[in-house]
Amino acid sequence: MIGADVLALAHGIVGLATARNLTLATAESCTGGLVAAALTAIEGSSAAFDRGFVTYSNQAKQDLLGVSARSLDEHGAVSEVVAREMAEGARMRAGVDFAVSITGIAGPGGGSETKPVGLVHFALAGPKGVTHRAERFGAIGRDAVRAASVRVALELFEAAIKAEPGL
């Protein structure tokens, strides 16, 4: 599931983060640790990558990342609010410069009219706050949604690192 193109992207991120003395963490739900796997596949990644939180259940999101029960109840796990709380919680708990979060519906089941299969929310927490991005990949298959989500998360890291050269 981690192709050569994704590994090349991860390699660039590890190199940039290491050169700029930046640290990274992940908070993953529907990807189940695949972003962390891509980063740690790179030799020397421990200089930049601190840890990954795989928080598949709502309880894990609360226990490990500090996501509020109220946010989960009011917005659901697959939401901008929860993605933001996941990223903030990962950054705070890991004490890193940047943390990315992913929460979505990979399928093939689990979707609804308002939250269809293929909907994924991403957030990136950094020194300048938290940004959000949502993607609707569609019902392209579980593996394809997860693979596309890994790429988006890595692209978020890459853009954030490039935008923070002075850290």
Side-chain angles (χ1 to χ4, degrees):
M1 192 175 294
I2 301 173
D5 58 330
V6 169
L7 289 175
L9 182 57
H11 188 273
I13 290 163
V14 168
L16 278 171
T18 300
R20 295 181 179 168
N21 199 32
L22 299 173
T23 52
L24 313 172
T26 60
E28 302 180 64
S29 187
C30 67
T31 49
L34 290 173
V35 178
L39 291 168
T40 59
I42 308 306
E43 183 180 350
S45 61
S46 62
F49 184 72
D50 182 75
R51 70 188 76 178
F53 297 91
V54 177
T55 56
Y56 209 69
S57 71
N58 287 351
Q59 192 63 55
K61 288 173 182 63
Q62 292 175 67
D63 294 347
L64 298 176
L65 301 173
V67 173
S68 77
R70 183 176 182 175
S71 294
L72 289 162
D73 289 343
E74 291 181 5
H75 304 281
V78 180
S79 65
E80 177 178 350
V81 170
V82 169
R84 286 176 175 274
E85 288 185 24
M86 288 172 66
E88 289 172 328
R91 182 171 186 255
M92 183 183 70
R93 283 169 164 74
V96 296
D97 297 300
F98 294 103
V100 71
S101 69
I102 305 164
T103 183
I105 304 165
S112 69
E113 189 173 313
T114 57
K115 294 184 182 183
V117 169
L119 172 64
V120 182
H121 286 272
F122 303 85
L124 184 122
K128 294 181 181 177
V130 182
T131 60
H132 169 262
R133 177 173 167 181
E135 292 286 340
R136 291 180 181 261
F137 298 114
I140 58 175
R142 185 175 184 80
D143 288 346
V145 169
R146 290 167 43 128
S149 296
V150 170
R151 173 173 287 288
V152 169
L154 291 173
E155 289 170 351
L156 289 172
F157 268 144
E158 181 182 52
I161 293 166
K162 285 181 176 178
E164 294 288 340
L167 287 177

